[in-house]
Amino acid sequence: VDPVQVLEHEDDGCAAAFQEQKTPNRLLGALPPPERVEGMPLAALEAVPNQQLATARIYGYSGWSQMLRVQLPAALPDTFIGIRLASGVALIAAIVAEMLAGRDGLGYLMSSAAFSLRIPDTFMGLAAAMACGLAMNQIVVVARRYVIGWHQTMTHLNTTR
């Protein structure tokens, strides 16, 4: 099912709230579903290969020690992917919320500038949103390198060559 069609459906609560403005519906419909972003760490914990779990049992790890020493390190790369996706979704959601219901903030600035045809202010807001997105992404990338730099080294994905 296309999320845009779901949001534009007349019986949907979101679409009823925004019947006059179809653009926010399409923008919200373009976001990845929250269960996909939030479920990534749990799916990563469940995706640890059975060989690694069996090896951990052979070495005497069980319960929490197996979780902390095998499953959690194996799940961290996918968890950081989820954090990276979630940070972008959070930024978009905050800006859209400010556009629709805010009286200040970046979304309100862009919306009011666009409606009053202040084109330079609108593009300044877009540039500020882009800078915020790039900064959030860079923070997650640096945190990933700091926390799980070993993963990048082990998988030969070193991009600093």
Side-chain angles (χ1 to χ4, degrees):
V1 176
D2 183 20
V4 174
Q5 291 175 348
V6 171
L7 285 174
E8 289 179 346
H9 192 269
E10 290 297 322
D11 296 332
D12 190 1
C14 289
F18 303 117
Q19 280 182 345
E20 297 298 318
Q21 301 175 3
K22 293 294 184 185
T23 304
N25 289 349
R26 289 189 182 100
L27 185 58
L28 289 172
L31 298 176
E35 63 272 1
R36 192 163 135 195
V37 174
E38 294 167 358
M40 287 186 83
L42 295 176
L45 282 174
E46 293 173 358
V48 176
N50 288 334
Q51 292 174 333
Q52 290 181 0
L53 298 175
T55 304
R57 278 188 227 108
I58 290 171
Y59 282 109
Y61 296 135
S62 63
W64 281 104
S65 60
Q66 184 176 353
M67 171 71 101
L68 292 174
R69 294 177 184 242
V70 177
Q71 287 180 294
L72 191 61
L76 280 174
D78 289 341
T79 302
F80 272 98
I81 292 171
I83 292 170
R84 204 167 170 185
L85 286 172
S87 67
V89 170
L91 178 65
I92 292 169
I95 290 174
V96 169
E98 289 171 353
M99 283 179 165
L100 298 175
R103 299 203 187 276
D104 58 357
L106 189 56
Y108 177 76
L109 170 79
M110 291 188 329
S111 180
S112 67
F115 284 123
S116 61
L117 299 176
R118 295 188 325 257
I119 305 303
D121 292 347
T122 304
F123 279 104
M124 187 273 308
L126 289 172
M130 179 189 69
C132 287
L134 290 173
M136 289 172 63
N137 183 56
Q138 197 59 33
I139 289 169
V140 175
V141 167
V142 168
R144 180 184 186 276
R145 276 193 205 129
Y146 180 74
V147 174
I148 58 169
W150 54 266
H151 180 262
Q152 194 171 14
T153 304
M154 290 180 67
T155 56
H156 302 289
L157 294 177
N158 193 352
T159 58
T160 59
R161 291 182 198 182

